[in-house]
Amino acid sequence: QWDLDFNKVNKNYLPCLFYSVVKSFPKFNNINNLGLVLGLPLSQLKNKDKLKESLEGNTFNFKYKGKDKTISIAKVGIIGEGFSSIYTLSESERNEPILLVDIGGGTINVVEYLNGKVQRTKTLKYGMYRFYEDIWKAALSETRVEIEDVRGLLQSGRINDNIRAAEIKAKRKFVERLQNDLKVFDPKFKEVFFTGGGAMTLKDELREQYQDCKFTNDLLFSNVLGNKILADALWGDEE
């Protein structure tokens, strides 16, 4: 199910974090001296110390597929979601006036760059959950389908004309709202880059509204890839 707690620090994020670490080091049962770079929505960066303190210097024991696992975390860096993706762009792209829009499940993080430096940021407190909720309300609320199942239903292609019409209307509504919220940044005067899972779902509609917009190379993982680049820059030479 979707976790609708807006504050990510309060979420039960440890199972997802441990799963990601284990998948990154599949041959090891004991992972020591681990360095992590994690992201928070821009509006929640004030909570970064709480997140860092809950992880840094701590050791965690758990089971994964019946096997005992241990993770010892030596250091933690926290960066705003949307900031990380900039590191996946080329140097020439980073030096252009850029509006980077990261469309996630619960929030949309917007960062305005000039000459590689952050000028303004904004977190829009809606995301793809709202999109799927609109489809559910319009076509599925009287069925046994839950909101959390709408994405999988659409991806499977097992939908009727009513659901398809609701999807088209929800896409239009979402992108129009986003376009209105981005007006404060005057995006027509700068390069607009979209990223995030929402950008993948809404790619065609975003291109209709922003004919010259661009997309990061890996929409789902651009923040993760950017975090890795940052981690290597911070700690890559450490033993």
PDB file of all heavy atoms in Angstrom, residues 196-213:
ATOM      1  N   GLY A 196      11.840  11.442 -12.579  1.00  0.00           N
ATOM      2  CA  GLY A 196      10.929  10.775 -11.661  1.00  0.00           C
ATOM      3  C   GLY A 196       9.980   9.827 -12.381  1.00  0.00           C
ATOM      4  O   GLY A 196       9.772   9.926 -13.591  1.00  0.00           O
ATOM      5  N   GLY A 197       9.407   8.909 -11.623  1.00  0.00           N
ATOM      6  CA  GLY A 197       8.484   7.951 -12.206  1.00  0.00           C
ATOM      7  C   GLY A 197       7.270   8.605 -12.838  1.00  0.00           C
ATOM      8  O   GLY A 197       6.734   8.117 -13.833  1.00  0.00           O
ATOM      9  N   GLY A 198       6.832   9.730 -12.263  1.00  0.00           N
ATOM     10  CA  GLY A 198       5.699  10.439 -12.830  1.00  0.00           C
ATOM     11  C   GLY A 198       5.987  10.988 -14.213  1.00  0.00           C
ATOM     12  O   GLY A 198       5.105  11.017 -15.081  1.00  0.00           O
ATOM     13  N   ALA A 199       7.219  11.419 -14.425  1.00  0.00           N
ATOM     14  CA  ALA A 199       7.604  11.935 -15.746  1.00  0.00           C
ATOM     15  C   ALA A 199       7.541  10.838 -16.792  1.00  0.00           C
ATOM     16  O   ALA A 199       7.230  11.092 -17.962  1.00  0.00           O
ATOM     17  CB  ALA A 199       8.998  12.534 -15.688  1.00  0.00           C
ATOM     18  N   MET A 200       7.836   9.603 -16.383  1.00  0.00           N
ATOM     19  CA  MET A 200       7.760   8.489 -17.315  1.00  0.00           C
ATOM     20  C   MET A 200       6.306   8.216 -17.718  1.00  0.00           C
ATOM     21  O   MET A 200       6.007   7.991 -18.884  1.00  0.00           O
ATOM     22  CB  MET A 200       8.373   7.234 -16.675  1.00  0.00           C
ATOM     23  CG  MET A 200       8.463   6.039 -17.588  1.00  0.00           C
ATOM     24  SD  MET A 200       9.579   4.766 -16.936  1.00  0.00           S
ATOM     25  CE  MET A 200       8.787   4.421 -15.352  1.00  0.00           C
ATOM     26  N   THR A 201       5.398   8.281 -16.751  1.00  0.00           N
ATOM     27  CA  THR A 201       3.976   8.046 -17.025  1.00  0.00           C
ATOM     28  C   THR A 201       3.374   9.160 -17.866  1.00  0.00           C
ATOM     29  O   THR A 201       2.519   8.915 -18.726  1.00  0.00           O
ATOM     30  CB  THR A 201       3.206   7.922 -15.698  1.00  0.00           C
ATOM     31  OG1 THR A 201       3.726   6.823 -14.951  1.00  0.00           O
ATOM     32  CG2 THR A 201       1.718   7.713 -15.946  1.00  0.00           C
ATOM     33  N   LEU A 202       3.818  10.396 -17.639  1.00  0.00           N
ATOM     34  CA  LEU A 202       3.202  11.569 -18.265  1.00  0.00           C
ATOM     35  C   LEU A 202       4.044  12.157 -19.394  1.00  0.00           C
ATOM     36  O   LEU A 202       3.841  13.303 -19.788  1.00  0.00           O
ATOM     37  CB  LEU A 202       2.975  12.652 -17.193  1.00  0.00           C
ATOM     38  CG  LEU A 202       2.104  12.245 -16.011  1.00  0.00           C
ATOM     39  CD1 LEU A 202       2.193  13.284 -14.910  1.00  0.00           C
ATOM     40  CD2 LEU A 202       0.657  12.062 -16.449  1.00  0.00           C
ATOM     41  N   LYS A 203       4.957  11.377 -19.929  1.00  0.00           N
ATOM     42  CA  LYS A 203       5.937  11.887 -20.881  1.00  0.00           C
ATOM     43  C   LYS A 203       5.281  12.563 -22.083  1.00  0.00           C
ATOM     44  O   LYS A 203       5.669  13.673 -22.476  1.00  0.00           O
ATOM     45  CB  LYS A 203       6.842  10.752 -21.353  1.00  0.00           C
ATOM     46  CG  LYS A 203       8.198  11.204 -21.849  1.00  0.00           C
ATOM     47  CD  LYS A 203       9.138  10.018 -22.011  1.00  0.00           C
ATOM     48  CE  LYS A 203      10.564  10.480 -22.250  1.00  0.00           C
ATOM     49  NZ  LYS A 203      11.497   9.336 -22.368  1.00  0.00           N
ATOM     50  N   ASP A 204       4.311  11.923 -22.695  1.00  0.00           N
ATOM     51  CA  ASP A 204       3.671  12.492 -23.884  1.00  0.00           C
ATOM     52  C   ASP A 204       2.950  13.790 -23.560  1.00  0.00           C
ATOM     53  O   ASP A 204       3.025  14.772 -24.327  1.00  0.00           O
ATOM     54  CB  ASP A 204       2.691  11.483 -24.484  1.00  0.00           C
ATOM     55  CG  ASP A 204       3.387  10.276 -25.097  1.00  0.00           C
ATOM     56  OD1 ASP A 204       4.591  10.383 -25.389  1.00  0.00           O
ATOM     57  OD2 ASP A 204       2.725   9.232 -25.257  1.00  0.00           O
ATOM     58  N   GLU A 205       2.242  13.805 -22.442  1.00  0.00           N
ATOM     59  CA  GLU A 205       1.482  15.001 -22.056  1.00  0.00           C
ATOM     60  C   GLU A 205       2.413  16.159 -21.705  1.00  0.00           C
ATOM     61  O   GLU A 205       2.129  17.325 -22.019  1.00  0.00           O
ATOM     62  CB  GLU A 205       0.568  14.672 -20.869  1.00  0.00           C
ATOM     63  CG  GLU A 205      -0.615  13.786 -21.202  1.00  0.00           C
ATOM     64  CD  GLU A 205      -0.219  12.336 -21.479  1.00  0.00           C
ATOM     65  OE1 GLU A 205       0.863  11.900 -20.994  1.00  0.00           O
ATOM     66  OE2 GLU A 205      -0.986  11.628 -22.155  1.00  0.00           O
ATOM     67  N   LEU A 206       3.534  15.859 -21.062  1.00  0.00           N
ATOM     68  CA  LEU A 206       4.507  16.903 -20.739  1.00  0.00           C
ATOM     69  C   LEU A 206       5.117  17.490 -22.004  1.00  0.00           C
ATOM     70  O   LEU A 206       5.347  18.705 -22.099  1.00  0.00           O
ATOM     71  CB  LEU A 206       5.603  16.343 -19.832  1.00  0.00           C
ATOM     72  CG  LEU A 206       5.158  15.973 -18.410  1.00  0.00           C
ATOM     73  CD1 LEU A 206       6.243  15.161 -17.705  1.00  0.00           C
ATOM     74  CD2 LEU A 206       4.817  17.223 -17.608  1.00  0.00           C
ATOM     75  N   ARG A 207       5.370  16.644 -22.977  1.00  0.00           N
ATOM     76  CA  ARG A 207       5.924  17.125 -24.247  1.00  0.00           C
ATOM     77  C   ARG A 207       4.925  18.011 -24.983  1.00  0.00           C
ATOM     78  O   ARG A 207       5.322  18.937 -25.701  1.00  0.00           O
ATOM     79  CB  ARG A 207       6.325  15.944 -25.113  1.00  0.00           C
ATOM     80  CG  ARG A 207       7.684  15.350 -24.750  1.00  0.00           C
ATOM     81  CD  ARG A 207       8.013  14.162 -25.595  1.00  0.00           C
ATOM     82  NE  ARG A 207       9.413  13.738 -25.420  1.00  0.00           N
ATOM     83  CZ  ARG A 207       9.826  12.492 -25.585  1.00  0.00           C
ATOM     84  NH1 ARG A 207       8.979  11.547 -25.947  1.00  0.00           N
ATOM     85  NH2 ARG A 207      11.103  12.188 -25.397  1.00  0.00           N
ATOM     86  N   GLU A 208       3.645  17.742 -24.831  1.00  0.00           N
ATOM     87  CA  GLU A 208       2.637  18.589 -25.473  1.00  0.00           C
ATOM     88  C   GLU A 208       2.648  19.990 -24.875  1.00  0.00           C
ATOM     89  O   GLU A 208       2.482  20.984 -25.593  1.00  0.00           O
ATOM     90  CB  GLU A 208       1.252  17.961 -25.308  1.00  0.00           C
ATOM     91  CG  GLU A 208       1.026  16.727 -26.170  1.00  0.00           C
ATOM     92  CD  GLU A 208      -0.352  16.140 -25.971  1.00  0.00           C
ATOM     93  OE1 GLU A 208      -1.177  16.764 -25.267  1.00  0.00           O
ATOM     94  OE2 GLU A 208      -0.625  15.037 -26.497  1.00  0.00           O
ATOM     95  N   GLN A 209       2.836  20.088 -23.561  1.00  0.00           N
ATOM     96  CA  GLN A 209       2.819  21.391 -22.893  1.00  0.00           C
ATOM     97  C   GLN A 209       4.162  22.105 -22.984  1.00  0.00           C
ATOM     98  O   GLN A 209       4.218  23.329 -23.023  1.00  0.00           O
ATOM     99  CB  GLN A 209       2.433  21.207 -21.414  1.00  0.00           C
ATOM    100  CG  GLN A 209       1.019  20.715 -21.193  1.00  0.00           C
ATOM    101  CD  GLN A 209      -0.024  21.704 -21.666  1.00  0.00           C
ATOM    102  OE1 GLN A 209       0.194  22.928 -21.670  1.00  0.00           O
ATOM    103  NE2 GLN A 209      -1.166  21.203 -22.098  1.00  0.00           N
ATOM    104  N   TYR A 210       5.248  21.330 -22.993  1.00  0.00           N
ATOM    105  CA  TYR A 210       6.601  21.895 -23.048  1.00  0.00           C
ATOM    106  C   TYR A 210       7.325  21.249 -24.227  1.00  0.00           C
ATOM    107  O   TYR A 210       8.047  20.259 -24.061  1.00  0.00           O
ATOM    108  CB  TYR A 210       7.349  21.614 -21.741  1.00  0.00           C
ATOM    109  CG  TYR A 210       6.714  22.218 -20.516  1.00  0.00           C
ATOM    110  CD1 TYR A 210       5.856  21.469 -19.717  1.00  0.00           C
ATOM    111  CD2 TYR A 210       6.965  23.539 -20.155  1.00  0.00           C
ATOM    112  CE1 TYR A 210       5.263  22.015 -18.589  1.00  0.00           C
ATOM    113  CE2 TYR A 210       6.385  24.107 -19.043  1.00  0.00           C
ATOM    114  CZ  TYR A 210       5.521  23.322 -18.257  1.00  0.00           C
ATOM    115  OH  TYR A 210       4.941  23.876 -17.149  1.00  0.00           O
ATOM    116  N   GLN A 211       7.131  21.804 -25.420  1.00  0.00           N
ATOM    117  CA  GLN A 211       7.634  21.178 -26.648  1.00  0.00           C
ATOM    118  C   GLN A 211       9.140  20.979 -26.632  1.00  0.00           C
ATOM    119  O   GLN A 211       9.665  20.032 -27.225  1.00  0.00           O
ATOM    120  CB  GLN A 211       7.236  22.007 -27.867  1.00  0.00           C
ATOM    121  CG  GLN A 211       5.774  21.907 -28.262  1.00  0.00           C
ATOM    122  CD  GLN A 211       4.869  22.798 -27.421  1.00  0.00           C
ATOM    123  OE1 GLN A 211       5.351  23.607 -26.627  1.00  0.00           O
ATOM    124  NE2 GLN A 211       3.572  22.643 -27.591  1.00  0.00           N
ATOM    125  N   ASP A 212       9.870  21.843 -25.956  1.00  0.00           N
ATOM    126  CA  ASP A 212      11.334  21.768 -25.951  1.00  0.00           C
ATOM    127  C   ASP A 212      11.891  21.162 -24.667  1.00  0.00           C
ATOM    128  O   ASP A 212      13.091  21.258 -24.401  1.00  0.00           O
ATOM    129  CB  ASP A 212      11.931  23.166 -26.147  1.00  0.00           C
ATOM    130  CG  ASP A 212      11.549  23.769 -27.498  1.00  0.00           C
ATOM    131  OD1 ASP A 212      11.465  22.999 -28.471  1.00  0.00           O
ATOM    132  OD2 ASP A 212      11.341  24.993 -27.560  1.00  0.00           O
ATOM    133  N   CYS A 213      11.027  20.548 -23.861  1.00  0.00           N
ATOM    134  CA  CYS A 213      11.505  19.993 -22.599  1.00  0.00           C
ATOM    135  C   CYS A 213      12.405  18.780 -22.842  1.00  0.00           C
ATOM    136  O   CYS A 213      12.407  18.179 -23.924  1.00  0.00           O
ATOM    137  CB  CYS A 213      10.334  19.600 -21.698  1.00  0.00           C
ATOM    138  SG  CYS A 213       9.427  18.131 -22.241  1.00  0.00           S
TER     139      CYS A 213
END
